[in-house]
Amino acid sequence: MDGFRERLKKQNAAPLWEELTRLIPPAPATRVAPAIWRYSELRPLLLEAGRLITARQAERRVLMLQNPGLKGASQITQSLYAGLQLVMPGEVTGTHRHTASALRFIIESKGDGAYTAVNGERAAMHPGDFIVTPSWTYHDHGNLTDSPVVWMDGLDVPIVNLFDTSFSEPHPDGSQQVVQGDGAPAFRFAYSRARETVERLSRKSAADPRHGFKTQYPPAIPAIAAFLKLLPAGFRGKPHRATDATVCCATEGSGRTRIGETVIEWREHDIFTIPSWQFAQHETDVEAVLFSFSDRPAQQALGLWREDDS
Ligand code: 1HN
């Protein structure tokens, strides 16, 4: 058998029977770890990056969130990239476009002077807003306020790279012309509206035993779905698992999420991951709001998505 394996190797071939269980495990055997990125720890480091490099020099001044199970890969899950981006007062970034789609979930922004511009149309960034940059659209960011602006970026970069379909380019003029929109860009989902939706649900219906009061944002990125959940005070969620690994960002309040043996204690602005097919259970003492995103639509398009609350 050893000699046979060697002769196969010379032909760039190998016996399937030695790899079959690893190739198709009976259930997802993920390397993605349940992990948390604490905002209180990362914010000072992000502001330090603000002193070390300008947004122009960096192109994008971002601290990437690397899942500890994925050994230094620029990925928060197998299929998703996430980072924390900082734009200092007075800064504007260069304009570029790429085939990866992006979402921004705004963490810190004071007043009305911070924006993302998509194809020239500016969308104001307020805390909790969810803003989308579709594939191959020119975009840049600016901060006309006198305070730092911080948001979480989420991109489908690992999916784009899985397919070897990454293209990117700077804007030929370096920056794009400002285009006057109607003041309500289609690629911006205001926190006030999404918050109202879950609040209304909480007044007229019972909490879902697993998800509390949950709304899904309208589809905006082909591979990514985004959600907002209101968890009432004293919530004790039923265990639930699904095949889409999920990135959560605590938006209000605090709580804990049990994922297998791991207990993740989170508070406002912390970001944490729930790996594929691991039972997760949310618990709160005070009312809390969680924003989350995952690759669910990509899995559904491929006929792969499953959930289980048994
Ligand atoms: C990107 O273009 C942005 O435009 C942020 O703000 C993060 C991560 C990977 C690739 C492109 C941005 C990114 C990115």
Side-chain angles (χ1 to χ4, degrees), residues 6-283:
E6 279 313 302
R7 279 178 286 133
L8 281 176
K9 203 169 169 184
K10 288 203 182 80
Q11 302 304 320
N12 297 314
L16 171 63
W17 58 88
E18 294 183 353
E19 291 293 327
L20 192 56
T21 330
R22 200 184 55 79
L23 277 182
I24 49 162
T30 186
R31 291 193 294 130
V32 171
I36 183 162
W37 291 263
R38 293 184 203 285
Y39 195 62
S40 60
E41 303 280 352
L42 278 167
R43 186 180 190 274
L45 293 166
L46 193 54
L47 291 177
E48 193 176 333
R51 295 188 291 273
L52 290 171
I53 194 165
T54 66
R56 281 279 176 192
Q57 285 169 331
E59 178 70 14
R60 294 296 186 264
R61 190 200 285 112
V62 180
L63 299 182
M64 300 190 290
L65 307 182
Q66 301 184 312
N67 189 285
L70 298 177
K71 287 182 242 136
S74 306
Q75 293 173 219
I76 192 157
T77 67
Q78 284 288 14
S79 61
L80 298 170
Y81 159 101
L84 282 174
Q85 182 158 177
L86 168 70
V87 182
M88 292 299 282
E91 284 188 325
V92 292
T93 72
T95 308
H96 68 201
R97 64 177 177 179
H98 36 72
T99 45
S101 303
L103 64 84
R104 330 280 169 193
F105 186 72
I106 316 308
I107 293 178
E108 278 188 50
S109 178
K110 295 210 174 90
D112 294 314
Y115 65 86
T116 281
V118 175
N119 286 339
E121 189 180 355
R122 289 182 177 181
M125 293 173 138
H126 299 125
D129 289 351
F130 165 54
I131 298 175
V132 165
T133 308
S135 175
W136 210 238
T137 54
Y138 281 115
H139 57 279
D140 51 56
H141 318 295
N143 178 1
L144 311 175
T145 77
D146 48 24
S147 310
V149 168
V150 178
W151 65 83
M152 172 178 68
D153 288 311
L155 288 92
D156 56 6
V157 165
I159 298 177
V160 173
N161 285 335
L162 172 70
F163 291 128
D164 281 335
T165 47
S166 179
F167 294 87
S168 69
E169 61 188 18
H171 193 284
D173 308 328
S175 61
Q176 57 183 341
Q177 294 281 324
V178 179
V179 172
Q180 209 48 53
D182 60 3
F187 54 91
R188 173 175 179 268
F189 303 91
Y191 187 58
S192 52
R193 279 200 61 183
R195 183 68 175 80
E196 248 172 57
T197 301
V198 288
E199 175 76 37
R200 205 176 328 110
L201 279 175
S202 77
R203 282 195 304 259
K204 68 168 198 216
S205 56
D208 178 284
R210 303 150 298 170
H211 304 298
F213 303 99
K214 181 177 183 182
T215 184
Q216 181 169 357
Y217 290 86
I221 296 179
I224 299 178
F227 308 87
L228 196 75
K229 286 180 189 180
L230 173 68
L231 304 174
F235 187 69
R236 293 289 176 272
K238 261 183 63 182
H240 170 257
R241 63 179 174 178
T243 51
D244 52 328
T246 301
V247 180
C248 299
C249 180
T251 303
E252 291 178 35
S254 60
R256 59 197 163 271
T257 301
R258 297 177 193 280
I259 304 165
E261 304 290 284
T262 309
V263 182
I264 290 182
E265 301 258 3
W266 44 263
R267 48 170 318 228
E268 209 183 3
H269 307 324
D270 290 346
I271 295 166
F272 62 95
T273 44
I274 303 172
S276 169
W277 212 235
Q278 299 196 0
F279 279 107
Q281 209 174 346
H282 299 304
E283 296 181 359

